[in-house]
Amino acid sequence: MSSTELTPLSASQIAAFRRYGAVLLRGAFAPWVDTLRAGIDRLMADPSPLERSYKPEGSAPFFQDLCNWQRIPEFRTFVERSDIGLLAAQLMGAHQVRFFHDHVLVKEPGTSLVTPWHQDLPYYCARGPQTVSFWIPLDPVPAANALECVAGSHKWGRDHKPMRFDGTPLYADDDSKPMPDIDANRENYRILAWDMAPGDAVAFDFGTIHGAAATIGAIDRRRVFSARLVGDDARFADRGGKGSPPFSHLALQDGDPLIGDDFPVLHPARA
Ligand SMILES: O=C(O)CCC(=O)C(=O)O
């Protein structure tokens, strides 16, 4: 099974990704929706030790779990057999693409949790000139509840202070700038969001500022499979033990090439 209807990507899709740091790829993974839904069912029945769900009182849970592609067969099949590596190579202009990690985010109906504005890069234990995440909803999501991205923010050239989603700083001695108050000044930003169908994807750079609304009263369940990939010259970033994902078993030092069994090469595809 493949997502060949989108490959090759058009020049305008690639240009939009590079210019705005985010692009909608309609139908990119439509053939994989049932597989990924089955994987999420399996995962939620048996979460990993990295599960970090939020269950605020009076609100439905926001389930999150990380790094399960080697354990959940449906996710492994998707990583190894979909065209995600090829799509990533085209978007980034990369000679080689490696998988970085998977992240499942399920907002149950009635969830009142907002995903706050953030960039992924300052949280990640990886950095590099070529990065892309694919945010893949497995339920219909109107633009008001979908991923929102601040166009061009990946080119602002700065990391904003990473916060935990409960509002506390992730790194105590971090002197990076706080995230601007985007919600209070939405008219000053070009905010990209789209009505999305199951299997559509937003591809976005690790440096792009993004967030998502609460789902309260708005939609039913919002299941998302998010896949993160890196291109040429990706390096391990030591974030003082707080990097995400918390890969405690890696022997990599800060600045080492991001290689190893956890980060398989997806492009060029093996013969
Ligand atoms: O799905 C969400 O609420 C946020 C997703 C996100 O931040 C990500 O995929 O990096």
Side-chain angles (χ1 to χ4, degrees), residues 58-193:
S59 146
F62 178 11
F63 174 89
Q64 294 195 59
D65 205 342
L66 296 168
C67 304
N68 289 290
W69 72 271
Q70 286 145 306
R71 187 172 72 92
I72 302 290
E74 291 84 358
F75 294 169
R76 180 185 280 275
T77 306
F78 173 78
V79 169
E80 293 181 344
R81 299 213 199 135
S82 76
D83 281 348
I84 195 165
L86 179 57
L87 292 171
Q90 292 173 70
L91 290 167
M92 299 187 290
H95 293 101
Q96 190 185 70
V97 174
R98 283 183 186 270
F99 194 69
F100 175 38
H101 75 277
D102 56 278
H103 187 172
V104 167
L105 308 105
V106 179
K107 289 188 178 181
E108 299 292 356
T111 297
S112 62
L113 284 178
V114 171
T115 307
W117 293 107
H118 66 284
Q119 294 160 296
D120 288 334
L121 194 57
Y123 295 82
Y124 280 171
C125 64
R127 58 172 172 263
Q130 298 179 332
T131 63
V132 63
S133 283
F134 293 83
W135 190 86
I136 308 165
L138 303 170
D139 297 289
V141 188
N145 291 101
L147 195 76
E148 294 189 312
C149 295
V150 178
S153 52
H154 65 310
K155 291 195 173 164
W156 291 355
R158 56 178 182 268
D159 288 353
H160 295 87
K161 193 187 284 292
M163 310 292 284
R164 294 193 184 86
F165 283 9
D166 66 4
T168 57
L170 185 62
Y171 311 124
D173 56 350
D174 176 10
D175 58 1
S176 56
K177 276 188 188 299
M179 185 60 66
D181 190 348
I182 293 168
D183 283 324
N185 301 285
R186 287 177 76 95
E187 68 285 359
N188 294 343
Y189 300 94
R190 181 164 174 209
I191 295 177
L192 304 174

